[in-house]
Amino acid sequence: QMVAKGHDLPNVTLVGVINADAALSLPDFRAAERGFHLLVQVSGRAGRQDRKGRVLIQTRAPEHAALRFASQHDVNGFIGQELKDRREVGYPPFTRLGLVRIDAIDEEVARRVAAQVAAQVRASAEARAGKVDVLGPAAAPIARLRGRVRFRVLLRALERGPLRRALGLAAEVRDQTRENVRIVIDVDPVTML
């Protein structure tokens, strides 16, 4: 990542990417986008000015769209494929997301409050009318962090208004909870981890 940040390293003619799959397999819908960006950036460091360069990418999934398009420096092709995939599964920019992160020292407390958040939103007029999808609760991809157990509830909507009202219900649960639990609401989250 340090090499990819735009530094001009004139004598670099070979760039190797070890285990490119690690960046592409993160449980985040933006993983392919971030992986593609990093591969294109780091590939641009090999062979500057009049020197030819070579890029070697280690992968177990050479057919992955991000790798295929990055190897051809085909930004438009990648964007087209990524937008098609995101539309198909209902991810931004075609929907709005709200991520409710719940964590506590006690796993049962975190699990119960996450279930309460999900149930509260599912019972709402927005969810019953099909304007808000409730995904979860589920354990967070990083289930334990700094001695706390983490769960999450993902809310998805086509419009901001219904999402905002549903997130307001999650905030009500947060404000009424008297237990040692933390509830964080993230609108249009940058990372899903």
Side-chain angles (χ1 to χ4, degrees), residues 115-130:
Q116 185 181 353
V117 167
Q120 180 97 350
V121 177
R122 279 192 181 103
S124 72
E126 273 76 19
R128 287 194 319 267

Side-chain angles (χ1 to χ4, degrees), residues 9-145:
L9 305 169
N11 295 324
V12 174
T13 57
L14 175 67
V15 171
V17 179
I18 308 300
N19 193 14
D21 304 315
L24 301 174
S25 62
L26 291 172
D28 188 329
F29 73 93
R30 290 186 183 94
E33 177 184 350
R34 289 188 180 118
F36 173 81
H37 181 259
L38 187 59
L39 289 169
V40 169
Q41 286 294 103
V42 78
S43 295
R45 303 296 130 225
R48 306 292 279 193
Q49 296 151 0
D50 61 342
R51 303 182 79 178
K52 286 198 170 214
R54 188 169 180 197
V55 179
L56 301 175
I57 300 173
Q58 179 194 38
T59 179
R60 290 187 179 107
E63 71 286 347
H64 193 289
L67 295 169
R68 212 174 58 246
F69 287 116
S71 70
Q72 300 165 4
H73 284 272
D74 186 356
V75 174
N76 291 331
F78 175 75
I79 291 171
Q81 180 65 51
E82 186 69 8
L83 287 173
K84 179 180 171 238
D85 292 346
R86 287 189 190 185
R87 180 186 304 272
E88 185 177 312
V89 295
Y91 278 119
F94 305 102
T95 59
R96 299 288 180 194
L97 297 180
L99 183 62
V100 183
R101 294 182 174 99
I102 300 102
D103 68 73
I105 293 171
D106 185 317
E107 181 175 352
E108 285 309 311
V109 169
R111 185 183 310 276
R112 186 170 24 80
V113 172
Q116 185 181 353
V117 167
Q120 180 97 350
V121 177
R122 279 192 181 103
S124 72
E126 273 76 19
R128 287 194 319 267
K131 293 181 179 179
V132 174
D133 293 327
V134 181
L135 306 169
I142 302 172
R144 284 189 178 275
L145 186 63

Side-chain angles (χ1 to χ4, degrees), residues 100-102 104 107-124 127 134-138 151-155 166-183 185:
V100 183
R101 294 182 174 99
I102 300 102
E107 181 175 352
E108 285 309 311
V109 169
R111 185 183 310 276
R112 186 170 24 80
V113 172
Q116 185 181 353
V117 167
Q120 180 97 350
V121 177
R122 279 192 181 103
S124 72
V134 181
L135 306 169
F151 286 86
R152 64 187 189 169
V153 177
L154 182 63
L155 307 180
L167 289 170
L169 295 172
E172 286 178 16
V173 172
R174 179 193 60 206
D175 296 344
Q176 294 168 1
T177 300
R178 299 291 174 238
E179 300 184 74
N180 186 12
V181 65
R182 209 171 17 212
I183 300 175
I185 297 171

Side-chain angles (χ1 to χ4, degrees), residues 144-163:
R144 284 189 178 275
L145 186 63
R146 295 186 194 103
R148 297 180 73 88
V149 181
R150 304 169 69 225
F151 286 86
R152 64 187 189 169
V153 177
L154 182 63
L155 307 180
R156 182 172 54 191
L158 292 174
E159 299 172 7
R160 288 180 192 262
L163 179 64

